[in-house]
Amino acid sequence: MRGGKVQVSNYFPIIKTKRLILREIVAEDAGNILKYLSDKEVMKHYGLEPFTTVEDASNEIAWYKSILNEKSGIRWGITLEEQDDIIGSCGFLNRVHNHCRAEIGYELSKDYWGNGIANAASQKLIKKNGFIKEGLLRSYEFTCGKFDDLYMYSLLKQDFDRLQPHEGNI
């Protein structure tokens, strides 16, 4: 850390909104990640048992780096604009470049639930932005001793283009 700010790689894209900064997750973030990934309610839909050690969080950070290096995904740390502590993460996983597809996922510290931070990943907003529910993959994943269902949504380029304002429609 330099000057109280976490140093990140030069090539990692940083995304800023009015309230949030999405940035690279680094080793110094392990304590904050442990804080929310040790919460049973946060981990309920994550597919893993709640974390119990900083090593668990460090392994998660190493996984984020591995999917970036393999070009199979990217994971941003979610921070509030006025602070640098990671309060969750979001990103793409299982990216298949040849087929132009990826999965989207997120998790957020329970302390920030109900504040509109994770709305971008909610089913309601997904539908509002043109994603189409394609179906339910029943018992798709076996995690934490049980099978979990997975809903599949899609947004094809031609559908996205159709939703964008055109010169005559603005």
Side-chain angles (χ1 to χ4, degrees):
M1 298 218 312
R2 186 179 298 157
K5 293 289 183 183
V6 174
Q7 296 296 306
V8 297
S9 303
N10 291 334
Y11 68 91
F12 197 92
I14 296 173
I15 301 170
K16 296 181 180 183
T17 71
K18 288 180 182 178
R19 298 189 309 158
L20 304 173
I21 297 175
L22 306 182
R23 65 161 176 85
E24 183 175 13
I25 298 172
V26 295
E28 292 86 356
D29 295 315
N32 288 323
I33 290 173
L34 177 60
K35 181 180 175 185
Y36 65 83
L37 291 184
S38 62
D39 186 311
K40 284 183 180 183
E41 287 189 66
V42 172
M43 296 301 277
K44 183 178 178 181
H45 302 287
Y46 197 67
L48 296 173
E49 293 291 335
F51 288 10
T52 57
T53 67
V54 172
E55 184 179 359
D56 291 339
S58 296
N59 289 338
E60 186 76 358
I61 294 168
W63 179 71
Y64 298 158
K65 296 209 180 301
S66 74
I67 63 171
L68 180 65
N69 291 336
E70 295 165 1
K71 296 183 170 55
S72 63
I74 187 170
R75 201 77 178 180
W76 285 271
I78 302 170
T79 68
L80 298 176
E81 201 269 334
E82 67 274 3
Q83 70 179 35
D84 200 42
D85 292 342
I86 298 289
I87 61 170
S89 80
C90 62
F92 301 105
L93 180 61
N94 296 329
R95 180 175 175 261
V96 182
H97 183 73
N98 294 349
H99 297 290
C100 302
R101 70 175 175 227
E103 297 173 11
I104 300 171
Y106 73 95
E107 79 284 333
L108 186 66
S109 171
K110 195 167 60 175
D111 295 342
Y112 298 92
W113 290 8
N115 293 318
I117 293 172
N119 275 349
S122 72
Q123 289 184 20
K124 184 176 182 180
L125 199 55
I126 286 171
K127 290 178 185 177
K128 180 180 169 188
N129 284 296
F131 281 79
I132 296 169
K133 186 175 181 179
E134 293 197 344
L136 170 66
L137 300 176
R138 295 172 45 215
S139 298
Y140 184 71
E141 294 179 327
F142 185 79
T143 52
C144 301
K146 64 180 178 42
F147 285 97
D148 292 322
D149 296 343
L150 184 69
Y151 287 101
M152 296 296 286
Y153 293 83
S154 70
L155 177 62
L156 302 179
K157 183 175 182 338
Q158 61 263 27
D159 299 332
F160 177 80
D161 290 344
R162 200 172 29 251
L163 294 170
Q164 299 308 301
H166 298 286
E167 231 172 71
N169 300 343
I170 297 177

